């Protein structure tokens, strides 16, 4: 699928930027850094900026006031892997058969492949591939879930650096023994497997700071994809975070603590951008891969009907924030539909890429 077709079909976000800023595609400008903060299985209502009075998300609430909150943002699929496949390619995952997450008897050849063999087809071009063409340094942190076999590895899909795990869900605390699912072992770059120290959500943020600082000092535009596994099961939280919610119990208490850690991690990255003096020239997006599985992690999709894995609003409509100082008006809302399909063409155009037939 050509970029011309992508931009014809999925240009809402970039059109919004053009309207607000009178930005002209093709006009020389400083390339913005790009940070994508991507949550996993979060509930639609589980953030302060979405109206929650239970969750504590001061950093993301601040980000919402500094940028645009999109009230009708949709994912490309209501489950993890396919949603990521659509986002990272900017095209429908049904075009290349990444259609389902382990639904026996109802899957294409790609999504029916066993274990490590189920992944994003190698001929598909990724967001990182296109940004590298524009001179960007690229890094991926956290949950990959786009294929466990070596040929699907992030370092072979346009990313220069990788720290995370290839699978779809793992413990937040380090494994003391070999995990049941080998794809969930922590990996640095390619094949260097070693468990982390501490709570994973915090660790992923800390790991990204070094990349951001190095590229800032070298004046290299960068793309950092923070693919948190929070707040996906298993339900793991630190005692310190759990103690912040004495009035809650069960999974609702744990997901609140996990969300607090997610917000803290986002805050570390946002603070680093400010500390380095590059926040003004950095696009920051925060969103989520699909609706919350309220039956599994205690998430809240109110007022929407449905949960993860359903095509009701609660399965496909997600929180979405975007900040780009000097280009997007702070503390505003945008009420027209957008999609995570829009991210690739938006980032590529902002980076100076041109869509041609």
């Amino acid at each position: 699928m050509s970029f011309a077709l992508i931009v014809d079909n999925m240009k809402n976000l970039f059109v919004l930027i053009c309207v607000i800023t009178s930005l002209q595609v093709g006009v020389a400008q400083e390339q913005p850094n790009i940070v994508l903060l991507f949550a996993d299985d979060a509930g639609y209502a589980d953030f302060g900026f979405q109206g929650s009075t239970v969750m504590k998300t001061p950093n993301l609430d601040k980000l919402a006031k500094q940028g645009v909150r999109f009230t009708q943002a949709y994912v490309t699929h209501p489950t993890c892997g396919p949603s990521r496949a659509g986002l990272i390619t900017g095209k429908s995952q049904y075009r290349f058969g990444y259609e389902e997450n382990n639904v026996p008897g109802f899957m294409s050849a790609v999504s029916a492949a066993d274990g490590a063999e189920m992944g994003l087809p190698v001929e598909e071009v990724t967001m990182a591939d296109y940004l590298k063409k524009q001179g960007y340094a690229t890094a991926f942190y956290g949950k990959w879930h786009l294929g466990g076999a070596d040929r699907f590895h992030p370092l072979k899909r346009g990313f220069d650096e990788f720290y995370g795990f290839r699978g779809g869900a793992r413990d937040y605390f380090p494994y003391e023994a070999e995990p049941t699912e080998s794809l969930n072992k922590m990996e640095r770059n390619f094949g260097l497997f070693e468990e982390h120290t501490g709570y994973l959500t915090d660790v992923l943020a800390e790991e990204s700071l070094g990349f951001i600082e190095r590229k800032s000092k070298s004046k290299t535009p960068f793309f950092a994809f923070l693919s948190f596994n929070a707040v996906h099961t298993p339900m793991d939280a630190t005692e310190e975070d759990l103690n912040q919610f004495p009035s809650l119990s069960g999974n609702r208490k744990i997901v609140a603590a996990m969300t607090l850690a997610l917000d803290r991690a986002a805050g570390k990255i946002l603070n680093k951008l400010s500390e380095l003096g590059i926040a003004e020239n950095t696009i920051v997006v925060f969103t989520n891969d699909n609706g919350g599985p309220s039956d599994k992690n205690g998430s809240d999709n109110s007022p929407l009907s449905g949960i993860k894995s359903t095509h009701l609003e609660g399965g496909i409509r997600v929180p979405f924030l975007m900040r780009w100082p000097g280009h997007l008006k702070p503390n505003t809302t945008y009420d027209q539909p957008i999609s995570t399909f829009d991210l690739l063409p938006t980032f590529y155009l902002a980076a100076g890429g041109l869509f041609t037939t």
Side-chain angles (χ1 to χ4, degrees):
M1 186 177 185
S2 72
F3 266 133
L5 290 176
I6 292 175
V7 78
D8 282 346
N9 294 330
M10 298 170 261
K11 62 185 179 182
N12 294 337
L13 267 180
F14 191 72
V15 168
L16 172 64
I17 293 172
C18 292
V19 169
I20 294 176
T21 69
S22 297
L23 179 64
Q24 298 179 35
V25 179
V27 175
Q29 59 176 335
E30 185 178 4
Q31 291 174 301
N33 305 305
I34 301 169
V35 174
L36 176 54
L37 304 172
F38 202 54
D40 191 356
D41 281 8
Y44 185 76
D46 279 342
F47 300 91
F49 65 84
Q50 291 288 88
S52 176
T53 58
V54 174
M55 298 297 183
K56 298 180 180 181
T57 55
N59 294 295
L60 292 171
D61 296 347
K62 182 178 179 181
L63 179 66
K65 291 179 180 178
Q66 294 171 338
V68 180
R69 182 171 69 90
F70 296 82
T71 62
Q72 289 200 70
Y74 291 88
V75 293
T76 71
H77 196 277
T79 60
C80 299
S83 175
R84 284 167 166 74
L87 178 153
I88 207 165
T89 60
K91 63 193 259 190
S92 172
Q93 55 273 57
Y94 293 94
R95 290 179 175 270
F96 46 82
Y98 204 144
E99 302 171 10
E100 297 292 342
N101 256 1
N102 303 313
V103 184
F106 189 66
M107 294 187 290
S108 70
V110 171
S111 33
D114 290 334
E117 293 302 308
M118 183 178 75
L120 181 68
V122 294
E123 61 269 23
E124 297 303 325
V125 184
T126 73
M127 182 181 288
D129 289 324
Y130 283 109
L131 289 173
K132 279 184 69 66
K133 291 180 181 179
Q134 297 305 113
Y136 277 66
T138 57
F140 189 97
Y141 299 92
K143 172 179 171 176
W144 178 238
H145 208 202
L146 288 171
D150 288 351
R151 68 183 183 281
F152 300 130
H153 193 276
L155 295 194
K156 298 185 179 182
R157 309 313 300 265
F159 289 97
D160 300 318
E161 299 184 23
F162 170 64
Y163 183 77
F165 58 100
R166 303 187 194 188
R170 62 152 287 144
D171 289 0
Y172 291 74
F173 298 105
Y175 291 119
E176 295 181 359
E178 187 76 8
T180 303
E181 176 53 73
S182 63
L183 296 182
N184 291 328
K185 295 190 293 185
M186 291 301 294
E187 181 179 17
R188 186 179 299 281
N189 291 322
F190 187 81
L192 300 175
F193 295 99
E194 183 179 4
E195 285 298 288
H196 60 292
T197 300
Y199 186 70
L200 185 55
T201 305
D202 291 316
V203 171
L204 293 176
E206 291 290 345
E207 286 284 338
S208 74
L209 300 185
F211 170 79
I212 291 171
E213 188 159 3
R214 281 185 280 111
K215 299 311 169 185
S216 173
K217 288 181 178 179
S218 68
K219 307 297 184 183
T220 304
F222 63 81
F223 170 48
F225 191 155
L226 275 292
S227 179
F228 295 104
N229 53 319
V231 291
H232 196 293
T233 54
M235 304 303 290
D236 286 341
T238 67
E239 285 299 320
E240 293 81 1
D241 289 339
L242 288 167
N243 290 339
Q244 296 297 310
F245 301 93
S247 64
L248 300 179
S249 60
N251 278 349
R252 190 62 181 156
K253 182 185 185 83
I254 302 173
V255 78
M258 295 168 76
T259 302
L260 177 62
L262 173 67
D263 181 80
R264 180 172 61 244
K268 291 178 181 179
I269 295 158
L270 296 172
N271 290 339
K272 176 60 70 172
L273 297 175
S274 296
E275 175 191 320
L276 295 171
I278 58 175
E280 295 298 308
N281 190 43
T282 301
I283 297 172
V284 178
V285 171
F286 171 79
T287 189
N288 189 46
D289 65 342
N290 45 246
S294 304
D295 56 333
K296 294 182 173 65
N297 71 355
S299 53
D300 181 3
N301 293 322
S302 300
L304 308 177
S305 297
I307 61 175
K308 175 182 177 178
S309 301
T310 75
H311 285 84
L312 298 172
E313 289 280 291
I316 59 175
R317 189 168 167 182
V318 293
F320 195 111
L321 304 174
M322 184 175 185
R323 184 185 77 182
W324 190 6
H327 297 267
L328 296 177
K329 185 178 179 181
N331 201 25
T332 58
T333 58
Y334 185 73
D335 297 323
Q336 300 302 311
I338 65 161
S339 167
T340 50
F341 277 136
D342 297 320
L343 286 172
L344 188 154
T346 298
F347 291 165
Y348 184 68
L349 285 164
L354 291 177
F355 292 95
T356 59
T357 56

